[in-house]
Amino acid sequence: MVMSGEKAGGGNGSGSVAGAAGEGARGQGEPADPSGVGARGKEGPAAPSGVGARGQGEPAAPPRVSLRERKKQLTYRAISDAAIAMFLERGFDRVSVAEVAAAADISKPTLFRYFPAKEDLALHRFADHEDEAARVVGGRGPGESPLDALRRHFLAGLDRRDPVTGLSDAPQVLAFHRLLYGTPSLVARLYAYQGRSEAALARALGGGVAARLAAGQVIAVLRILAEENWRRIDAGESADAVYAGAVQAAEEAFVQLRRGLEPEGRG
């Protein structure tokens, strides 16, 4: 079964997770992130080439990033940051693409070469993290099941108040989430990102119908957990107050997943 402790062969974890992680570190000279939702960036560690292909020893070092690619990613981030700042100040629907282009000192055609749709300007950081669940599964330790790796990763995110878990009450994160969930077109676009996360996880689990079914359940659980945490914080609770309940809910959710996805006899 794809969710057991054995590695699934033939899968590819490099494809397109539910939301954006808040742990990405900004390098020197990079623009601040007005959303508070940090980007991993394309220059981050590469996804594993295959869930079953990892041998013994240390993981391969991430490939070197060319200066051209580095500049391209900084441009992506600068445009997105300028757009998000304007969306937060005035509202998504009240800011035009032309205004974003002018603020970023580029033409509209140039902007659309980077971002095919206006919604992508706000959700760029989610795109940077689409393969997060797949990377967690592909990078798990020997003998660790995919579910164990995903559970460990999510609980660690709760502990550090990672925005991807919904458990962050930082003002800029709250403002960004209110913008996101208060804008129907952004919510609709987010579901497309989550669909790509699901596809990437399915590939990391080995592909096929069983892997797709498992990935769909996992991504749905991660989304629901994060939304529930966000709902409580948006209602006025602090992240610290929500933490214990968030951990309990996550533990219960992974128990349910394990019962449905792993072979009988596994605890």
Side-chain angles (χ1 to χ4, degrees), residues 212-234:
R212 289 176 59 193
L213 289 169
Q217 292 176 68
V218 168
I219 296 302
V221 163
L222 295 177
R223 173 180 59 81
I224 291 169
L225 289 172
E227 287 178 354
E228 177 61 16
N229 293 338
W230 154 246
R231 183 193 65 78
R232 292 182 61 183
I233 289 175
D234 188 47

Side-chain angles (χ1 to χ4, degrees), residues 190-212:
L190 180 59
Y191 277 105
Y193 282 74
Q194 291 173 341
R196 291 194 289 272
S197 299
E198 183 181 309
L201 179 56
R203 289 191 292 270
L205 294 172
V209 175
R212 289 176 59 193

Side-chain angles (χ1 to χ4, degrees), residues 63-85:
R64 295 180 63 86
V65 179
S66 68
L67 178 60
R68 179 180 180 182
E69 181 64 18
R70 177 68 173 170
K71 288 182 176 179
K72 183 178 180 181
Q73 291 309 315
L74 288 175
T75 301
Y76 267 109
R77 189 171 299 182
I79 297 171
S80 177
D81 285 349
I84 291 172

Side-chain angles (χ1 to χ4, degrees), residues 6-62:
E6 298 179 359
K7 300 286 186 178
N12 188 336
S14 61
S16 13
V17 91
E23 59 194 338
R26 284 191 295 115
Q28 294 292 330
E30 295 181 10
D33 176 10
S35 70
V37 182
R40 176 172 61 89
K42 307 296 184 184
E43 69 273 16
S49 59
V51 179
R54 207 161 42 88
Q56 299 295 324
E58 295 296 320

Side-chain angles (χ1 to χ4, degrees), residues 161 232 237-245:
R161 308 299 191 264
R232 292 182 61 183
E237 296 184 68
S238 70
D240 288 344
V242 174
Y243 175 73

